[in-house]
Each structure stands twice: as C-alpha cells, then as structure tokens.
C-alpha cells in the first residue's frame, strides 16, 4: 500500500524529531528540506538553525507568536529572502546561501495582502505570469484562468478590477493566480488575517479543496480549526526556532513542550 502524506509526515518527524540534520541529498519523497537554516536582518537573528522536511502531498501548518520567524521561513523557501547559512532543497535542487534565487515557478505563494496588480483586471492578473514566464499563448492562459476562477467561485469577477472585489474575493483571486502557474508547492502567509470573519471560510474552503487534491502546502496561520481539520503536521515556532512539531491530535491534546502548552492555552481561550 502506498504511503499517504500523513505516513510520510510521520517518517519525516522520525528522521528529524526536533533538530539536528546532516547535509545530504533529501530522500525522493521529500519535496522540501531545510537544514540548519539561518537568517538575520542586521544584528537581529530571525531564523536559528531550522531543520524541516516536508513530504510530497503533505499539508503543514506553521504557527507561533508574532516575530517567531514563520513568515521569514516561507519567504526563504520561495527565494524572496536570502539565507545566511544552512541549506534549502526544493525538489532536489539546492538554494545557495547568501544569493537571491530565480523564483521557482513550481512554488506558488499567497500573501496576507493579496498583492494583485490594481491596474489589471482579475483575468489579466491571472494570465500575466503564465504567458510571460511559461510562454503560454493568450488563448491557453485564458482557458486555464477561467477554469481556476470557476474553481474558486469568482468567474463572474474575471473582468473586474481588484478594488471592486471584497477582501475574500481578492484572496481567492490571488490563490487562482498562483495556481495558474501549475505549482507543485503552495505557500500561504497568513492568508486570512486581513479578512473580515465572514469572508474567512470562503478562502479556507478553497485551501481545503487544494489539500484534498494532494497539493503540498505550507500554511502560516492562526486558524487552529483549519489546522486541526486539514494539517498532516503542525510546526510550532518561537524565537526563530522550531519548538515542537506533531500531528494535530498530539499537538493539541498532548503537547510535550511547556512553551507549546502556553501558546495553545492562549489561542484556544481567546
């Protein structure tokens, strides 16, 4: 019987339960690997020896207090930030420390603030990168974009400009735009934190659908209901380090670290 993402996640935790990892080519089922990753902004150390392996098809939720390094970590994975030390491997290719990388078209990213181009329609936002980077024809780009806008439930907004859409609709458009590049990995940086509460579930439903379809996902979020329901594994960060990682049941019901227990106690009682 083939391993599912949860079994592969357990194997990843077993290989790297909380820390040390020797530099070597990652196993074939590991699509993302971080080894002793360091990141500083001047004198401020933001990431301190991060070790993390993510299996193909796995959904990993990253949580922790503000300033713990969550967003910086996924920005480093996508090449938006350089690393000062360690290694990041994406699909068997190593990102070099200290050098900006050409953005990997197989890694899609969705930001808290949508980042849609305001002077372009939703459809134009979606087809821009596929036609320029992947060399799709305009007709191919339009066909792909229409399918994705229908998938996220906003095809009727295709010819509208971003500022005429609600926050939830803009975020769904941003997800569709990332999917237009046909990525194998999706990174989400607090995708619902800027939304009104009634709009959050529409975005989470799209993300649930991606997880159900087997997309490899790293999600930085404080939506703990989503984490418990969808994640194969939860990673808790504090002060630039991974404090604990476990499956959702273990994480919420039987965390090992005192710092994790305090965090869970606060987020579940507020």
């Amino acid at each position: 019987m083939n391993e599912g993402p949860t079994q592969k996640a357990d194997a990843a935790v077993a290989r790297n339960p909380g820390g040390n990892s020797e530099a070597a080519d990652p196993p074939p089922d590991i699509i993302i690997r971080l080894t002793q990753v360091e990141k500083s902004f001047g004198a401020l150390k933001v990431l301190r020896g991060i070790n993390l392996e993510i299996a193909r098809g796995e959904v990993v939720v990253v949580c922790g207090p503000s300033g713990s390094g969550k967003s910086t970590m996924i920005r480093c994975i996508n090449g938006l930030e350089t690393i000062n030390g360690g290694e990041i491997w994406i699909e068997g290719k190593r990102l070099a420390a200290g050098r900006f990388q050409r953005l990997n078209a197989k890694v899609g990213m969705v930001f808290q603030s949508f980042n849609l181009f305001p002077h372009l329609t939703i459809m134009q936002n979606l087809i821009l990168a596929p036609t320029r980077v992947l060399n799709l024809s305009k007709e191919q780009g339009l066909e792909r974009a229409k399918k994705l806008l229908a998938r996220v439930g906003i095809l009727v907004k295709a010819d509208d400009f971003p500022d005429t859409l609600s926050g939830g609709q803009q975020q769904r458009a941003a997800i569709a735009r990332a999917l237009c590049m046909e990525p194998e990995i999706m990174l989400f940086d607090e995708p619902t934190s800027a939304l009104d509460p009634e709009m959050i579930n529409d975005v989470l439903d799209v993300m649930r659908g991606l997880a159900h379809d087997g997309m490899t996902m790293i999600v930085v979020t404080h939506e703990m209901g989503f984490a418990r329901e969808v994640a194969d594994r939860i990673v808790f960060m504090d002060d630039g380090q991974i404090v604990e990682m476990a499956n959702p049941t273990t994480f919420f019901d039987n965390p090992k670290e005192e710092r994790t227990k305090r965090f869970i106690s606060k987020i579940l009682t507020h």
Side-chain angles (χ1 to χ4, degrees):
M1 182 174 64
N2 292 333
E3 283 188 320
T6 301
Q7 289 72 34
K8 291 178 181 178
D10 291 341
V13 172
R15 280 194 298 269
N16 185 20
N20 296 328
S21 177
E22 297 179 0
D25 289 356
D29 61 320
I30 297 299
I31 194 169
I32 301 172
R33 182 178 185 179
L34 283 69
T35 305
Q36 292 294 325
V37 170
E38 305 273 346
K39 174 63 182 176
S40 299
F41 294 107
L44 179 63
K45 271 202 148 186
V46 182
L47 298 178
R48 304 168 181 264
I50 297 293
N51 293 310
L52 180 64
E53 292 182 345
I54 296 175
R56 190 177 301 276
E58 188 181 5
V59 178
V60 174
V61 165
V62 183
C63 61
S66 297
S68 59
K70 311 180 298 294
S71 295
T72 299
M73 182 179 74
I74 65 169
R75 288 175 65 86
C76 289
I77 291 172
N78 203 27
L80 293 172
E81 297 284 356
T82 62
I83 59 175
N84 301 117
E87 294 182 342
I88 297 177
W89 293 76
I90 307 292
E91 292 195 298
K93 295 182 179 179
R94 184 170 66 89
L95 306 185
R99 292 172 51 193
F100 278 106
Q101 310 292 321
R102 180 186 177 94
L103 294 184
N104 190 337
K106 291 299 182 183
V107 181
M109 187 159 179
V110 176
F111 301 86
Q112 175 181 337
S113 56
F114 321 139
N115 287 357
L116 297 168
F117 294 112
H119 63 291
L120 300 179
T121 67
I122 297 302
M123 180 63 76
Q124 290 168 337
N125 265 277
L126 263 66
I127 69 172
L128 181 64
T131 54
R132 294 196 177 185
V133 178
L134 303 181
N135 295 320
L136 264 64
S137 68
K138 185 177 180 179
E139 291 72 23
Q140 290 173 317
L142 288 170
E143 181 181 359
R144 182 180 295 184
K146 287 177 182 177
K147 289 179 181 178
L148 289 169
L149 288 174
R151 178 177 180 178
V152 301
I154 55 169
L155 180 57
V156 295
K157 301 292 185 180
D159 296 324
D160 294 350
F161 287 91
D163 63 358
T164 67
L165 275 62
S166 70
Q169 289 170 335
Q170 288 188 60
Q171 193 60 292
R172 283 184 279 161
I175 294 172
R177 181 179 63 177
L179 293 175
C180 246
M181 295 294 288
E182 296 192 336
E184 297 186 15
I185 301 163
M186 283 289 290
L187 310 177
F188 295 86
D189 187 7
E190 301 197 30
T192 61
S193 62
L195 302 180
D196 292 335
E198 61 187 12
M199 299 178 182
I200 289 174
N201 207 51
D202 289 338
V203 173
L204 294 181
D205 279 344
V206 173
M207 295 168 63
R208 289 184 185 99
L210 291 175
H212 182 266
D213 291 344
M215 176 68 73
T216 305
M217 297 165 58
I218 306 178
V219 184
V220 174
T221 185
H222 291 299
E223 298 290 339
M224 292 297 100
F226 173 85
R228 189 188 284 270
E229 174 192 353
V230 176
D232 297 300
R233 187 162 36 130
I234 300 176
V235 173
F236 173 61
M237 293 182 66
D238 190 25
D239 194 28
Q241 298 176 305
I242 293 177
V243 177
E244 187 162 350
M245 54 183 162
N247 65 63
T249 300
T250 301
F251 182 83
F252 287 109
D253 299 341
N254 191 29
K256 295 181 175 61
E257 303 295 331
E258 285 301 320
R259 181 65 186 92
T260 312
K261 293 176 183 178
R262 293 198 304 272
F263 177 80
I264 292 172
S265 175
K266 287 181 179 179
I267 63 173
L268 294 183
T269 56
H270 292 282

XYZ file of all heavy atoms in Angstrom, residues 4-6 8 31 54-60 151 179 183-186 206-218 230 232:
248
model
N 0.547 7.592 2.373
C -0.103 8.880 2.217
C 0.729 9.954 2.866
O 1.745 9.681 3.507
N 0.301 11.223 2.724
C 1.059 12.332 3.306
C 1.268 12.199 4.807
O 2.332 12.533 5.316
C 0.193 13.553 2.966
C -0.574 13.157 1.761
C -0.834 11.690 1.935
N 0.258 11.690 5.547
C 0.403 11.590 6.990
C 1.494 10.589 7.351
O 2.306 10.843 8.247
C -0.931 11.170 7.630
O -1.920 12.143 7.302
C -0.793 11.076 9.143
N 4.032 9.755 5.486
C 5.303 10.362 5.110
C 5.701 11.440 6.112
O 6.877 11.627 6.418
C 5.206 10.948 3.701
C 5.077 9.903 2.609
C 4.931 10.531 1.246
C 4.787 9.480 0.159
N 4.595 10.084 -1.184
N 9.954 16.757 -0.675
C 9.933 17.783 -1.707
C 10.578 19.088 -1.218
O 11.087 19.875 -2.016
C 8.478 18.026 -2.175
C 8.459 18.829 -3.479
C 7.627 18.669 -1.101
C 7.087 18.881 -4.138
N 9.565 18.204 4.435
C 8.152 18.155 4.069
C 7.984 17.187 2.907
O 8.679 17.296 1.888
C 7.624 19.551 3.720
C 7.692 20.433 4.973
C 6.202 19.485 3.165
C 7.322 21.871 4.751
N 7.076 16.256 3.077
C 6.854 15.221 2.070
C 5.919 15.721 0.982
O 5.092 16.608 1.198
C 6.260 13.977 2.734
N 6.057 15.149 -0.183
C 5.157 15.476 -1.293
C 3.715 15.158 -0.892
O 3.412 14.089 -0.386
C 5.551 14.682 -2.528
C 4.846 15.102 -3.801
C 5.357 14.307 -4.990
N 6.782 14.483 -5.190
C 7.330 15.503 -5.860
N 6.550 16.434 -6.392
N 8.641 15.590 -6.008
N 2.824 16.136 -1.096
C 1.429 15.950 -0.761
C 1.076 16.253 0.683
O -0.084 16.155 1.070
N 2.059 16.647 1.476
C 1.819 16.919 2.889
C 1.306 18.346 3.078
O 1.698 19.271 2.371
C 3.113 16.730 3.684
C 2.928 16.803 5.194
C 4.229 16.635 5.962
O 5.305 16.547 5.334
O 4.166 16.602 7.206
N 0.417 18.524 4.062
C -0.061 19.848 4.457
C 0.510 20.149 5.834
O 0.213 19.459 6.811
C -1.602 19.905 4.500
C -2.066 21.289 4.964
C -2.185 19.576 3.129
N 1.348 21.174 5.901
C 1.999 21.561 7.152
C 1.521 22.949 7.545
O 1.619 23.894 6.758
C 3.539 21.551 7.009
C 4.204 22.094 8.270
C 4.032 20.139 6.717
N -13.165 27.475 -10.294
C -12.852 26.601 -9.161
C -12.930 27.349 -7.832
O -13.399 26.797 -6.834
C -11.453 26.003 -9.338
C -11.001 25.117 -8.203
C -9.648 24.512 -8.506
N -9.197 23.648 -7.426
C -8.062 22.956 -7.454
N -7.276 23.013 -8.518
N -7.708 22.206 -6.432
N -2.134 29.456 -8.704
C -2.392 28.146 -9.305
C -2.250 28.167 -10.819
O -2.033 27.121 -11.443
C -3.788 27.655 -8.921
C -4.011 27.328 -7.446
C -5.474 26.984 -7.204
C -3.115 26.171 -7.008
N 1.778 25.190 -9.882
C 2.833 24.864 -8.921
C 2.644 23.481 -8.318
O 1.539 22.934 -8.302
C 2.657 25.948 -7.836
C 1.185 26.234 -7.872
C 0.802 26.144 -9.328
N 3.714 22.927 -7.817
C 3.650 21.665 -7.091
C 3.651 21.901 -5.584
O 3.367 20.978 -4.814
C 4.818 20.763 -7.492
C 4.767 20.372 -8.968
C 5.825 19.364 -9.350
O 6.420 18.755 -8.431
O 6.071 19.178 -10.553
N 3.979 23.126 -5.183
C 4.009 23.510 -3.775
C 3.293 24.840 -3.643
O 3.507 25.748 -4.456
C 5.464 23.668 -3.268
C 6.254 22.367 -3.438
C 5.495 24.151 -1.818
C 7.760 22.558 -3.349
N 2.445 24.968 -2.621
C 1.790 26.241 -2.346
C 2.157 26.703 -0.941
O 2.033 25.946 0.026
C 0.275 26.120 -2.473
C -0.226 26.085 -3.906
S -0.072 27.678 -4.772
C -1.325 28.647 -3.927
N -11.407 26.974 -0.221
C -10.535 26.784 -1.383
C -9.274 26.021 -0.974
O -8.836 25.086 -1.670
C -10.165 28.142 -2.012
C -9.117 27.953 -3.109
C -11.404 28.822 -2.578
N -8.710 26.392 0.179
C -7.499 25.723 0.654
C -7.776 24.277 1.040
O -6.943 23.395 0.807
C -6.911 26.514 1.824
C -6.434 27.904 1.410
S -6.059 28.997 2.803
C -4.695 28.104 3.560
N -8.952 24.011 1.615
C -9.333 22.628 1.918
C -9.390 21.798 0.633
O -8.958 20.637 0.602
C -10.694 22.591 2.609
C -10.705 23.107 4.041
C -12.085 22.941 4.667
N -12.153 23.522 5.991
C -12.673 24.727 6.264
N -13.200 25.457 5.274
N -12.673 25.200 7.491
N -9.923 22.401 -0.422
C -10.002 21.703 -1.701
C -8.626 21.361 -2.251
O -8.413 20.256 -2.766
N -7.687 22.294 -2.125
C -6.318 22.030 -2.580
C -5.689 20.890 -1.790
O -5.024 20.011 -2.355
C -5.463 23.294 -2.437
C -5.797 24.457 -3.367
C -4.948 25.671 -3.016
C -5.570 24.072 -4.828
N -5.894 20.914 -0.475
C -5.344 19.848 0.360
C -5.951 18.502 -0.031
O -5.244 17.488 -0.131
C -5.616 20.151 1.829
N -7.250 18.485 -0.273
C -7.941 17.244 -0.668
C -7.405 16.711 -1.989
O -7.329 15.490 -2.203
C -9.443 17.504 -0.768
C -10.249 16.282 -1.113
N -10.592 15.963 -2.420
C -10.767 15.294 -0.334
C -11.281 14.842 -2.425
N -11.408 14.409 -1.174
N -6.982 17.627 -2.868
C -6.463 17.227 -4.175
C -4.996 16.807 -4.134
O -4.424 16.444 -5.164
C -6.631 18.364 -5.183
C -8.092 18.608 -5.530
O -8.927 17.734 -5.250
O -8.393 19.694 -6.085
N -4.361 16.891 -2.955
C -2.992 16.411 -2.820
C -1.908 17.442 -3.010
O -0.725 17.086 -3.163
N -2.255 18.729 -2.974
C -1.247 19.773 -3.113
C -0.345 19.800 -1.874
O -0.820 19.721 -0.745
C -1.925 21.138 -3.275
C -0.968 22.320 -3.331
S 0.060 22.359 -4.821
C -1.170 22.860 -6.047
N 0.954 19.897 -2.091
C 1.886 20.133 -0.992
C 1.720 21.572 -0.527
O 1.829 22.503 -1.329
C 3.333 19.899 -1.436
O 3.453 18.586 -2.000
C 4.302 20.038 -0.271
N 1.455 21.770 0.764
C 1.131 23.101 1.267
C 1.848 23.379 2.581
O 1.914 22.525 3.457
C -0.383 23.244 1.477
C -1.200 23.113 0.212
S -2.986 22.860 0.511
C -3.413 24.307 1.463
N 2.375 24.609 2.694
C 2.842 25.134 3.975
C 1.983 26.356 4.259
O 1.948 27.290 3.453
C 4.326 25.522 3.959
C 5.195 24.353 3.491
C 4.768 25.984 5.344
C 6.671 24.690 3.415
N -7.263 19.959 8.710
C -6.635 19.735 7.405
C -5.170 19.319 7.489
O -4.688 18.558 6.653
C -6.781 20.997 6.524
C -6.067 20.832 5.193
C -8.251 21.318 6.296
N -1.572 17.696 8.095
C -0.936 16.432 8.429
C -0.001 16.608 9.614
O 0.215 15.672 10.391
C -0.126 15.902 7.237
C -1.013 15.593 6.044
O -1.913 14.743 6.186
O -0.818 16.208 4.987
